[in-house]
Amino acid sequence: MTAPARTRSSAELIRAEEPVLAHNYHPLPVVVARAEGAWVEDVEGRRYLDMLAGYSALNFGHRHPALIEAAHRQLDRLTLTSRAFHNDRLASFAERLAGLTGMDMVLPMNTGAEAVESGIKVARKWAYDVKGVPADRATIVVAADNFHGRTTTIVGFSTDEDARRGFGPFAPGFRIVPYNDLAALEEAVDATTAAVLIEPIQGEAGVIIPDDGYLAGVRELTRRAGCLFLADEIQSGLGRTGRTLAVEHESVVPDVVLLGKALGGGIVPVSAVVGRREVLGVLHPGEHGSTFGGNPLAAAVGTAVVELLETGEFQRRADELGEVLRAGLAGLTGKGVTGFRARGLWAGVDVDPALGTGREVSERLMREGILVKDTHGSTIRIAPPLTITAEELQEALGTLEKVLTA
Ligand SMILES: *Cc1c(COP(=O)(O)O)cnc(C)c1O
């Protein structure tokens, strides 16, 4: 008879990862075992307020009842067909998502990086088939300090040395211009340009919000230049900033929007390229695909996500609670916070480097029951589930004040 498996402690589980798990992450030393709403619980039963929400993959909180129910129902009926056959969930997912975003067509994928890769492929195909760019000459203009994912093509146009070093050679065809600089963009765009690909707000870079007028300027410039505007809304989209899409803050309609993270409700990876028919219509059978893209489980969860967003409740919450977050951070400015950028329930907070690195502050917050993540240097990112209450948000801000003024 074998002894019953002994439950391992957090410390033991962290040690057990070391020899068997690739070291491509440096997680905070917390081992989460269960979660509900804005709260997670570790192996020892300690509770933490989740102020990161899976980098916005958990916009609706952990295990939102409507999403869990949709997943359970689908698990009991059909989980995968591959696109070799139709499945009975995909049509309504595509219809609802196109409706929510005001676009015509949907290309379902799985991860964010795949959506970006797919967007790049579609933009290039459009450049050759519709715009008439000579074969293999299409260029795509991107912004410095971007984050679009981790595939070799995508890290090839990153400006983050840690993301690039050791992974070349990289794909050609990308031009990098400073973010929030319309003059530089104008100069980089020419007859070979298939698309301009940018994040409406740069998340990984530290929640960098461009000047008012930048996104509208990108729209105007790309329209004039006859190239596409691809908005990577994988982190900024689906309610986070107080709108369904962050581009709505400037009433901008891109040609293509890339979605991911929250689209899977924190349950399964679901991403999508949504766009105008003239653009996504360039794809024909055999030219692109994904074994798991558009699978019935993903479609069922994705449809339930769209249904939540159709109510407008989450966008409204992000807007209203965003004011609480903003006021709290303004009150901390000068008290350990040197600056912050916030839109909706999303903030990049620069902590006085004298108080420690972003990592050290994150560890201190963890010990006080608040989970956040540092980005670069002394910046921490705050992005709680949109289901968080005003009281919970105040509690987190109070803990941040305590940690910064200790
Ligand atoms: C997270 C993210 C991606 C990549 O998504 P994955 O699912 O990790 O591949 C791409 N773009 C932006 C803006 C992101 O935040």
Side-chain angles (χ1 to χ4, degrees):
M1 235 175 64
T2 52
R6 197 177 67 84
T7 313
R8 292 195 276 182
S9 70
S10 288
E12 286 169 322
L13 287 165
I14 290 170
R15 268 198 306 280
E17 286 185 356
E18 210 276 336
V20 288
L21 199 61
H23 297 176
N24 57 324
Y25 276 95
H26 180 35
L28 289 177
V30 56
V31 183
V32 176
R34 49 180 60 81
E36 179 126 21
W39 292 88
V40 304
E41 195 179 305
D42 74 6
V43 170
E44 282 77 22
R46 285 181 290 255
R47 278 160 56 82
Y48 305 80
L49 201 46
D50 183 355
M51 297 292 285
L52 179 66
Y55 303 95
S56 287
L58 290 156
N59 276 3
F60 311 98
H62 293 269
R63 302 173 55 251
H64 188 286
L67 304 180
I68 293 292
E69 197 203 322
H72 276 154
R73 239 182 313 149
Q74 194 57 40
L75 279 170
D76 287 337
R77 286 207 305 126
L78 175 73
T79 57
L80 189 69
T81 53
S82 86
R83 295 287 302 277
F85 317 120
H86 297 268
N87 75 67
D88 68 348
R89 304 312 310 259
L90 193 47
S92 36
F93 173 52
E95 283 168 352
R96 300 291 282 271
L97 185 59
L100 180 77
T101 54
M103 293 282 172
D104 303 321
M105 291 180 107
V106 173
L107 169 62
M109 300 297 289
N110 309 284
T111 65
E114 280 179 306
V116 174
E117 289 274 354
S118 304
I120 290 168
K121 286 176 73 175
V122 165
R124 285 177 173 168
K125 190 95 182 359
W126 174 88
Y128 303 128
D129 292 2
V130 179
K131 180 169 173 169
V133 172
D136 293 339
R137 301 297 292 276
T139 56
I140 291 178
V141 182
V142 300
D145 301 320
N146 67 71
F147 183 85
H148 296 290
R150 299 293 197 168
T151 64
T152 50
T153 293
I154 292 171
V155 299
F157 59 82
S158 168
T159 55
D160 175 352
E161 266 310 298
D162 287 341
R164 288 169 55 87
R165 197 182 321 108
F167 301 122
F170 298 120
F174 297 93
R175 290 181 188 161
I176 304 171
V177 297
Y179 190 60
N180 196 25
D181 184 338
L182 286 171
L185 187 62
E186 176 105 58
E187 205 156 310
V189 166
D190 65 19
T192 67
T193 307
V196 172
L197 165 64
I198 54 161
E199 299 155 83
I201 293 175
Q202 290 190 321
E204 300 296 315
V207 191
I208 306 299
I209 302 170
D211 295 340
D212 285 346
Y214 177 67
L215 298 174
V218 173
R219 176 66 285 182
E220 176 52 29
L221 196 159
T222 48
R223 185 177 287 126
R224 223 179 332 110
C227 67
L228 304 176
F229 178 4
L230 267 60
D232 181 346
E233 293 255 14
I234 290 166
Q235 196 165 160
S236 58
L238 306 181
R240 174 56 56 192
T241 69
R243 304 287 185 277
T244 300
L245 300 176
V247 288
E248 289 172 39
H249 288 280
E250 290 200 23
S251 307
V252 161
V253 181
D255 300 293
V256 172
V257 175
L258 310 174
L259 297 171
K261 292 202 164 96
L263 192 56
I267 300 174
V268 281
V270 185
S271 68
V273 180
V274 297
R276 295 195 291 114
R277 186 175 316 281
E278 182 206 322
V279 182
L280 278 176
V282 301
L283 290 179
H284 302 108
E287 292 175 346
H288 189 58
S290 161
T291 303
F292 293 98
N295 72 74
L297 180 60
V301 172
T303 303
V305 164
V306 172
E307 281 171 3
L308 291 181
L309 287 165
E310 281 169 351
T311 67
E313 180 195 331
F314 297 89
Q315 296 89 326
R316 196 156 51 242
R317 290 188 70 84
D319 226 8
E320 290 168 5
L321 293 169
E323 288 306 314
V324 176
L325 177 61
R326 182 179 278 285
L329 292 173
L332 288 176
T333 304
K335 291 200 265 177
V337 169
T338 56
F340 71 90
R341 299 155 298 280
R343 182 152 286 171
L345 261 182
W346 200 18
V349 182
D350 302 329
V351 171
D352 183 352
L355 296 174
T357 61
R359 170 76 187 194
E360 286 161 349
V361 171
S362 300
E363 287 184 3
R364 273 178 246 151
L365 283 166
M366 182 201 78
R367 287 193 288 273
E368 298 291 335
I370 303 290
L371 297 183
V372 297
K373 182 73 173 69
D374 52 302
T375 51
H376 295 106
S378 289
T379 300
I380 56 175
R381 172 177 17 192
I382 295 180
L386 310 182
T387 55
I388 196 169
T389 65
E391 293 71 34
E392 289 165 337
L393 187 57
Q394 293 286 11
E395 182 183 332
L397 287 161
T399 306
L400 181 59
E401 173 163 17
K402 181 178 155 195
V403 160
L404 293 179
T405 56

